[in-house]
Amino acid sequence: MNVTIDKNSGYCFGVEFAIQMAEDEMDQGGELYCLGDIVHNAMEVERLTKKGLKVINREQLKELRDCKVLIRAHGEPPETYQLALNNNIELVDASCPVVLKLQNRVKSAFDKMEEVEGQIVIYGQEGHAEVVGLTGQTKDKAIVVTKEEDLEKIDFSRPVTLFSQTTKSTKGFYRISALIEEKMKEQKGAEVVNYDYNDSICRQVSNREPQLQKFSKEHDVIVFVSGKKSSNGKALYSVCKAENDKSYFVENELELDPSWFKPSYSVGICGATSTPMWLMENVATFIKNIFAETGTAS
């Protein structure tokens, strides 16, 4: 059996940077809190928790004083920074530069939309950490849409500016954008509509789609390794499944089913931007060991 790990899978820059910052801080000693899971991967969160990282939620943050709190790659809304200032909390800010740039763009667009009674629409997952940070730039007035039914929240007679959560599907974004434009034209007839869309999907994410399409075609079986909470993981897994029906989603090697494999198969291992390489290597090793005794794994 041939087992190959996709060289393009694994952490994106933002996640890698946040984890490195957390480990550097913990190596220096002292307590370090993290506002939410540092990455949407339970195995990696468990590893860092054992090293001393304390994961907290927003309610727990309000009770903290005189300590260090890590802001993960997803970014945070303005009120988090104000709370830290009020409570003398030192923030270790690991917000992804791509997300920070998007937050600034959303804030600028929101200010302009306020002048013309327009709407900011964000294509993303309601409640997702990054989306919470983005809507925070709009005083929580932004409309979050995930699927076509959510478009009912939009007033198509008013101006609209659309952005996307950085880890969403490019195909999904352009589909939603086309639907918004179509509905605005229906509302205003043949008039030119006041609509602006911004493809704010991270290119490290969007570029993986064509890479994964090719990778999925090259193997008999695909094992996609990702945390179940990962929005990016769900999107990229769907890319694999569309190309190769023998694609399986697992969180770790314990979820593998030996019946998925045959000695003659070529197996491809890949993952989300929140999947650590060590976890994909564990999965690859486990698969090889299934047939190791017969000498068929390689």
Side-chain angles (χ1 to χ4, degrees), residues 41 223-227 248 250-252 269-272 275 279-280 283:
N41 188 283
V223 178
F224 190 89
V225 188
S226 172
Y248 304 98
V250 301
E251 194 160 32
N252 55 52
I269 312 291
C270 49
T275 304
L279 187 53
M280 288 186 283
V283 169

Side-chain angles (χ1 to χ4, degrees), residues 122-129 131-132 144-146 165 168 231 234:
I122 296 171
Y123 172 56
Q125 190 66 46
E126 187 85 53
H128 186 280
V131 174
V132 171
V144 180
V145 300
T146 306
Q165 178 183 330
K168 293 299 284 182
S231 172
K234 292 172 186 174

Side-chain angles (χ1 to χ4, degrees), residues 236-249:
L236 292 181
Y237 171 67
S238 68
V239 172
C240 297
K241 189 70 174 176
E243 296 298 332
N244 186 331
D245 193 52
K246 290 191 178 70
S247 293
Y248 304 98
F249 189 111

Side-chain angles (χ1 to χ4, degrees), residues 177-193:
S177 177
L179 286 170
I180 291 173
E181 187 168 18
E182 180 183 320
K183 289 179 181 296
M184 290 188 78
K185 285 180 178 178
E186 288 174 0
Q187 182 79 30
K188 289 183 170 287
E191 294 179 39
V192 176
V193 297

Side-chain angles (χ1 to χ4, degrees), residues 127-270:
H128 186 280
E130 182 190 324
V131 174
V132 171
L134 294 176
T135 57
Q137 310 305 316
T138 71
K139 302 177 183 176
D140 292 326
K141 292 182 181 180
I143 299 167
V144 180
V145 300
T146 306
K147 50 191 184 298
E148 186 174 347
E149 299 88 87
D150 296 333
L151 298 181
E152 294 175 3
K153 304 175 189 176
I154 302 171
D155 180 351
F156 295 106
S157 67
R158 294 162 54 201
V160 171
T161 296
L162 174 69
F163 291 93
S164 176
Q165 178 183 330
T166 61
T167 54
K168 293 299 284 182
S169 157
T170 306
K171 183 179 178 181
F173 170 77
Y174 281 101
R175 178 175 172 274
I176 287 291
S177 177
L179 286 170
I180 291 173
E181 187 168 18
E182 180 183 320
K183 289 179 181 296
M184 290 188 78
K185 285 180 178 178
E186 288 174 0
Q187 182 79 30
K188 289 183 170 287
E191 294 179 39
V192 176
V193 297
N194 192 345
Y195 172 58
D196 182 33
Y197 66 91
N198 302 269
D199 179 351
S200 49
I201 296 166
C202 175
R203 287 300 169 253
Q204 262 201 292
V205 175
S206 63
N207 287 344
R208 289 193 181 184
E209 292 186 24
Q211 291 165 349
L212 276 182
Q213 287 175 330
K214 182 174 182 293
F215 185 76
S216 298
K217 290 176 182 176
E218 292 171 346
H219 300 279
D220 298 303
V221 173
I222 292 294
V223 178
F224 190 89
V225 188
S226 172
K228 292 181 171 64
K229 293 181 183 178
S230 173
S231 172
N232 166 250
K234 292 172 186 174
L236 292 181
Y237 171 67
S238 68
V239 172
C240 297
K241 189 70 174 176
E243 296 298 332
N244 186 331
D245 193 52
K246 290 191 178 70
S247 293
Y248 304 98
F249 189 111
V250 301
E251 194 160 32
N252 55 52
E253 66 274 19
L254 301 180
E255 296 182 356
L256 292 166
D257 184 340
S259 69
W260 296 343
F261 312 104
K262 292 181 180 178
S264 59
Y265 279 179
S266 170
V267 179
I269 312 291
C270 49

